[in-house]
């Protein structure tokens, strides 16, 4: 067990993960998002919370975006993009969703730890996050369960948002115009 402050240890772990993520995959995800008609995001548990945060930023960027499972989410169609966040790549509910999306000829992007997973086989694009899944015992992290993946997922998604902002010439102040105003 390390004696460094927990916040310092977490930051160091995250930096180590971020250095190992291929930047080209983030570029490819940004391009795929910008080329898609509508966006649908999904994840389970804490990963799902990170995906919901990403959906909010996509809306702030002006993309028509939905969270799978919400009552106002319309039918997915060909030309749409389903973006999944799953450490294991085997979450049964997400596999079912991806199979349905595939049958509807929608594109699928995945952010995952598991390069050989069921979800990876269904996805046209996968962004690898080299963290441990919550069921693995590892020396790679002092954090419990899937925390390192979930934190990395949020940072990766925020990096994709920044890439799209730069490519589209969008300033953060312009995004505020799309921020919720009934709070």
């Amino acid at each position: 067990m390390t004696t460094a402050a927990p916040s310092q240890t977490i930051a160091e772990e995250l930096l180590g993960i971020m250095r190992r993520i291929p930047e080209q995959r983030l570029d490819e995800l940004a391009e795929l998002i910008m080329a898609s008609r509508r966006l649908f995001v999904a994840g389970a548990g804490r990963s799902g919370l990170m995906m919901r945060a990403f959906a909010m930023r996509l809306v702030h960027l002006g993309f028509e975006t939905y969270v799978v499972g919400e009552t106002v989410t319309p039918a997915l169609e060909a030309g749409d993009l389903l973006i999944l966040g799953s450490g294991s790549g085997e979450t049964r509910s997400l596999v079912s969703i991806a199979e349905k999306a595939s049958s509807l000829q929608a594109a699928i992007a995945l952010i995952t730890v598991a390069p050989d997973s069921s979800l990876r086989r269904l996805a046209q694009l996968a962004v690898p996050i080299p963290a441990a899944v919550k069921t693995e015992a590892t020396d790679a992290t002092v954090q419990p369960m899937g925390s390192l993946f979930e934190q990395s997922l949020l940072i990766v998604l925020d990096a994709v948002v920044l890439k799209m902002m730069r490519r589209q010439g969008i300033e953060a102040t312009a995004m505020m115009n799309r921020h919720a105003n009934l709070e």
Side-chain angles (χ1 to χ4, degrees):
M1 190 75 152
T2 182
T3 58
S7 58
Q8 182 69 34
T9 300
I10 290 168
E12 289 170 6
E13 287 182 358
L14 286 167
L15 185 57
I17 294 294
M18 292 304 119
R19 287 185 171 139
R20 294 171 37 216
I21 294 173
E23 199 67 29
Q24 178 182 350
R25 291 292 168 84
L26 302 184
D27 291 330
E28 291 168 355
L29 180 55
E31 292 297 326
L32 186 57
I33 288 169
M34 292 186 297
S36 298
R37 191 170 72 89
R38 296 182 304 171
L39 308 170
F40 293 75
V41 303
R46 287 170 41 119
S47 297
L49 295 173
M50 302 307 113
M51 298 306 293
R52 292 171 72 88
F54 184 48
M56 179 185 290
R57 285 293 180 254
L58 292 171
V59 167
H60 294 158
L61 282 171
F63 292 98
E64 188 175 347
T65 307
Y66 302 95
V67 175
V68 174
E70 293 293 320
T71 57
V72 295
T73 302
L76 180 113
E77 300 170 347
D80 293 337
L81 173 62
L82 173 64
I83 309 167
L84 301 169
S86 174
S88 71
E90 297 294 342
T91 306
R92 195 71 229 145
S93 60
L94 297 179
V95 172
S96 282
I97 290 166
E99 289 171 344
K100 179 68 173 186
S102 181
S103 76
L104 295 169
Q105 301 177 344
I108 301 169
L110 171 67
I111 302 97
T112 188
V113 171
D116 297 320
S117 65
S118 298
L119 285 175
R120 174 59 189 105
R121 287 187 286 280
L122 290 163
Q124 287 72 47
L125 173 66
V127 176
I129 293 183
V133 296
K134 65 184 169 194
T135 57
E136 291 178 345
T138 179
D139 292 335
T141 181
V142 298
Q143 299 181 69
M145 303 168 67
S147 290
L148 184 56
F149 169 72
E150 296 143 3
Q151 294 156 359
S152 300
L153 176 61
L154 183 62
I155 292 171
V156 161
L157 297 172
D158 277 347
V160 170
V161 167
L162 284 174
K163 285 178 176 293
M164 291 187 299
M165 287 174 67
R166 289 175 182 162
R167 287 185 183 154
Q168 295 180 319
I170 297 173
E171 299 289 330
T173 52
M175 293 171 66
M176 281 302 296
N177 292 331
R178 293 187 192 98
H179 191 280
N181 60 7
L182 297 177
E183 307 180 309

